[in-house]
Amino acid sequence: MNSRVEQSKGASSTDLAKYAAAIVLVAAGVFAFYWFQAQLATPVRSIIVALCVVGAAAVFLTTDKGHRTRDFFSETRFEMRKVVWPTRQEAIRLTWIVIIAVAIISLILAGFDQIIQWLIRLILRQ
């Protein structure tokens, strides 16, 4: 297991400016989507929003948290390679087991519901 202990420190002023720029980019994309509603087609406005979000993500990834996020995802990809995935047959068999278990539990809960309803009716009649 790969674990690192890092001291948390406040964000630098540069990082804060980059966070603000990323938020402004996303807000500008959403604003442009509604502002140009009459002038531009929806696909074009959607592309503008997507470009603004991609730009905001690019700005975010240049911050300290962005670097740590990239490191996290690269470590995650490395760990995913270690996973032993089930075969198709095992996945189908386990899926059927889950479906049967859910059906049985739902029938048990329906039975409890009927018993509770019967008890409430019995108590309220007296």
Side-chain angles (χ1 to χ4, degrees):
M1 178 161 62
N2 185 6
S3 64
R4 289 184 280 184
V5 177
E6 297 180 10
Q7 297 293 332
S8 66
K9 54 186 175 205
S12 68
S13 59
T14 308
D15 282 351
L16 290 176
K18 289 178 182 179
Y19 294 148
I23 291 171
V24 167
L25 272 171
V26 171
V30 171
F31 177 78
F33 184 83
Y34 291 107
W35 184 263
F36 295 112
Q37 191 167 6
Q39 292 91 352
L40 298 173
T42 302
V44 174
R45 292 183 294 137
S46 299
I47 291 172
I48 292 171
V49 172
L51 289 174
C52 287
V53 169
V54 167
V59 169
F60 171 76
L61 288 176
T62 62
T63 64
D64 181 50
K65 283 228 187 268
H67 290 296
R68 286 193 272 158
T69 302
R70 279 192 306 206
D71 290 342
F72 170 76
F73 282 120
S74 67
E75 288 178 15
T76 302
R77 284 184 50 210
F78 178 74
E79 292 296 326
M80 289 294 285
R81 290 186 197 131
K82 296 179 184 178
V83 174
V84 178
W85 296 101
T87 64
R88 182 175 174 86
Q89 183 181 5
E90 289 172 332
I92 291 171
R93 188 175 359 170
L94 291 173
T95 302
W96 278 110
I97 290 172
V98 169
I99 290 170
I100 291 169
V102 167
I104 290 171
I105 292 171
S106 66
L107 290 173
I108 291 171
L109 290 175
F112 285 150
D113 187 43
Q114 293 297 319
I115 292 170
I116 292 171
Q117 284 181 13
W118 177 76
L119 287 173
I120 290 175
R121 286 186 194 134
L122 184 67
I123 292 170
L124 292 178
R125 284 187 186 160
Q126 293 181 354

